[in-house]
Amino acid sequence: MREAVDNPKHETSTAQVGGSRRRLRRRSFGLSGKLLILTLGFVMLAEVLIYVPSVANYRKTWLEERLTAARTAVSVLDMLPVTTNNGTLSVQLLDQVGAMVVAVRDERGRRLIAADDTSIEIAQMVDLRRMAPHELITDAFKTLMFGGERYIRVVGVPPGQGDFIEIVIDDTELRDAMVSYSINILILSLIISVITAALVYVSLRALIVRPVQRLTETMSHFAENPEDRHRIIVPSGRADELGDAERRLADMQTDLASLIAQKNRLASLGLAVSKINHDLRNLLASAQLTVDRVGEIDDPTVRRFAPRLLATLDRAVAFCENTLKYGSAAEPPPDRAPFCLSELVSEIGMILHLDEASGIRFVNDVPADLALDADRDQFYRVILNLCRNAVQALDAQGEACSDTEAAITVSARETDGGIAIDVSDTGPGVPARARERLFEAFHGSTRPGGTGLGLAISAELVRAHGGKIALVEGVEGACFRIDLPHEAKVPGTVRQSRSANQG
């Protein structure tokens, strides 16, 4: 971690994060302002949608009131004697109605009730008996835009029985009334919009904007130092979507902090392993020289075991060199060559020293004529790792005083897909908690203190050969199956392996 802190790139990244956070705080027109403007706009739009039909209805109502006054006056005049129906009453009628002409058509025909002497030019006719809503709206806006000092003819339902009653009026008063009505509606709409927008703004800021800002600030604060667990967000306990986002963010930050800490530990471990590996290679080289000298002793047992021990040391030295060469535990590509699988399994059984004295029986159930076209050294490591895990499981079972016979069996057979190799034991099996991440390094160990590297290495080497390894379910103990594709089959029989030739 010290290297990361001292790294100028890391400092630059931290500074950029801090700068981004400061820029975020300097924003004055954020989500809250946008919500406020949108709320104002939507409320005003709703008011406009309400105003359009209402101003049309206001105009219609105003005109109907004039017709009602005219009908009332006509009814009164009809009730008076003919002698009293003179010019004075007509003038009073026109003043009361606010019209220039009042006429009616009924069973007695069309009659001019009252008329002004002024010459009149009709600019528009309004028939309230049969106007559609869209016509009322259109006429209302025509009055607002073009009205004033115009004469319009208004036709409506007459008093009693008849065809119609009509009046001619100056629309200046109508337009003034409509303008006044529109101003009142505008002022009322602005007041409603401001109050509504303020309430929506305060509510949304408290319910959404502030929690989102808290999430953003927490993420920025966590990004400055992801290893500090005190920077992980503490969920507020909300039961809505934002509360769910807080909990998911907390889980993600916790996992990320753990992952970074694990990566740092692995980096330190890798550096230590590289140093140890360098010295171990020198020790193994010295052991090789010693084994070479021991192999010259004229003893049958020594001559039988010395080549195998020398081959094991060769593999160890090569692995150390590859580790230093690649700078990690990355495996080189397989060096394929035909070899006898049964002889390799027998060699592993001898290395493990499993016999009656050890309490574990080793069974080599691989056909003697079965050969693989694969990297012998890598498959040696694969099967050895699986067998060592089985030995450790059986040793733990022995400590538990189990009555089951301890045995490890390695078998192989040809299948339609290629070759299947099974490594099984009569141990306690693989615990359920270890099965989900069984082939991941530092996660797949089935015993206390284990690293799980054996299974991870085995899986990597098998995948490099195009095969797959899996735990067989539903069997006693543990059984790992390696499935290799057709390319691993060797036609004919390979009776000697490279290791046997060395012996």
Side-chain angles (χ1 to χ4, degrees), residues 385-400:
N385 283 332
L386 296 177
C387 290
R388 284 190 183 278
N389 287 344
V391 170
Q392 294 168 355
L394 291 171
D395 287 341
Q397 186 184 44
E399 296 174 0

Side-chain angles (χ1 to χ4, degrees), residues 327-468:
S328 63
E331 299 293 341
D335 182 14
R336 293 177 177 270
F339 67 90
C340 181
L341 181 60
S342 179
E343 291 182 0
L344 181 130
V345 174
S346 297
E347 183 179 343
I348 292 174
M350 295 179 63
I351 293 295
L352 293 175
H353 299 290
L354 299 178
D355 50 25
E356 294 182 0
S358 66
I360 300 176
R361 184 165 59 92
F362 185 81
V363 180
N364 182 359
D365 197 17
V366 178
D369 59 348
L370 181 61
L372 291 183
D373 184 15
D375 190 314
R376 190 180 192 280
D377 291 340
Q378 290 186 357
F379 257 87
Y380 179 92
R381 292 169 57 195
V382 171
I383 299 178
L384 179 61
N385 283 332
L386 296 177
C387 290
R388 284 190 183 278
N389 287 344
V391 170
Q392 294 168 355
L394 291 171
D395 287 341
Q397 186 184 44
E399 296 174 0
C401 300
S402 175
D403 296 333
T404 305
E405 179 185 8
I408 299 174
T409 303
V410 181
S411 60
R413 67 185 186 279
E414 294 188 9
T415 63
D416 295 337
I419 296 177
I421 304 172
D422 289 343
V423 179
S424 59
D425 62 68
T426 58
V430 179
R433 60 181 176 80
R435 297 190 178 193
E436 294 182 0
R437 309 175 71 177
L438 190 59
F439 297 101
E440 295 183 20
F442 305 102
H443 293 287
S445 177
T446 60
R447 61 185 178 87
T451 62
L453 284 173
L455 290 177
I457 292 172
S458 299
E460 182 181 356
L461 295 176
V462 171
R463 285 195 298 267
H465 285 78
K468 59 182 180 180

Side-chain angles (χ1 to χ4, degrees), residues 175-494:
R175 183 178 181 276
D176 292 341
M178 292 177 64
V179 170
S180 176
Y181 175 81
S182 300
I183 293 174
N184 292 335
I185 290 293
L186 176 61
I187 295 174
L188 182 61
S189 300
L190 289 175
I191 295 174
I192 294 176
S193 298
V194 171
I195 295 176
T196 304
L199 293 176
V200 172
Y201 174 82
V202 172
S203 302
L204 292 181
R205 184 170 178 82
L207 295 175
I208 298 178
V209 177
R210 282 303 304 159
V212 171
Q213 289 178 343
R214 176 173 176 263
L215 284 175
T216 305
E217 292 174 357
T218 301
M219 289 188 288
S220 301
H221 187 59
F222 178 80
E224 294 175 0
N225 186 9
E227 297 181 38
D228 186 2
R229 291 182 174 270
H230 294 90
R231 297 171 181 258
I232 297 176
I233 185 174
V234 178
S236 60
R238 297 173 55 141
D240 55 8
E241 290 80 0
L242 286 174
D244 185 57
E246 290 176 346
R247 289 186 290 273
R248 291 179 181 273
L249 178 61
D251 295 339
M252 183 190 69
Q253 290 178 340
T254 301
D255 295 340
L256 181 59
S258 301
L259 181 61
I260 293 176
Q262 182 185 30
K263 295 296 184 182
N264 290 333
R265 290 195 297 269
L266 291 177
S268 301
L269 178 61
L271 179 61
V273 168
S274 297
K275 295 178 180 179
I276 296 172
N277 200 28
H278 182 273
D279 295 333
L280 180 61
R281 182 186 58 176
N282 296 332
L283 295 175
L284 291 174
S286 300
Q288 280 182 309
L289 296 175
T290 303
V291 173
D292 284 336
R293 293 290 183 87
V294 172
E296 297 175 358
I297 299 176
D298 189 13
D299 182 273
T301 304
V302 173
R303 288 183 176 275
R304 184 160 60 94
F305 284 101
R308 292 189 173 91
L309 179 57
L310 185 60
T312 302
L313 291 173
D314 288 339
R315 280 191 290 268
V317 172
F319 180 71
C320 291
E321 291 176 348
N322 288 332
T323 302
L324 292 176
K325 177 180 178 182
Y326 287 94
S328 63
E331 299 293 341
D335 182 14
R336 293 177 177 270
F339 67 90
C340 181
L341 181 60
S342 179
E343 291 182 0
L344 181 130
V345 174
S346 297
E347 183 179 343
I348 292 174
M350 295 179 63
I351 293 295
L352 293 175
H353 299 290
L354 299 178
D355 50 25
E356 294 182 0
S358 66
I360 300 176
R361 184 165 59 92
F362 185 81
V363 180
N364 182 359
D365 197 17
V366 178
D369 59 348
L370 181 61
L372 291 183
D373 184 15
D375 190 314
R376 190 180 192 280
D377 291 340
Q378 290 186 357
F379 257 87
Y380 179 92
R381 292 169 57 195
V382 171
I383 299 178
L384 179 61
N385 283 332
L386 296 177
C387 290
R388 284 190 183 278
N389 287 344
V391 170
Q392 294 168 355
L394 291 171
D395 287 341
Q397 186 184 44
E399 296 174 0
C401 300
S402 175
D403 296 333
T404 305
E405 179 185 8
I408 299 174
T409 303
V410 181
S411 60
R413 67 185 186 279
E414 294 188 9
T415 63
D416 295 337
I419 296 177
I421 304 172
D422 289 343
V423 179
S424 59
D425 62 68
T426 58
V430 179
R433 60 181 176 80
R435 297 190 178 193
E436 294 182 0
R437 309 175 71 177
L438 190 59
F439 297 101
E440 295 183 20
F442 305 102
H443 293 287
S445 177
T446 60
R447 61 185 178 87
T451 62
L453 284 173
L455 290 177
I457 292 172
S458 299
E460 182 181 356
L461 295 176
V462 171
R463 285 195 298 267
H465 285 78
K468 59 182 180 180
I469 182 172
L471 178 67
V472 179
E473 303 288 347
V475 297
E476 182 180 358
C479 178
F480 289 91
R481 177 165 297 165
I482 302 171
D483 290 313
L484 297 174
H486 287 284
E487 290 78 4
K489 287 186 178 182
V490 178
T493 301
V494 177

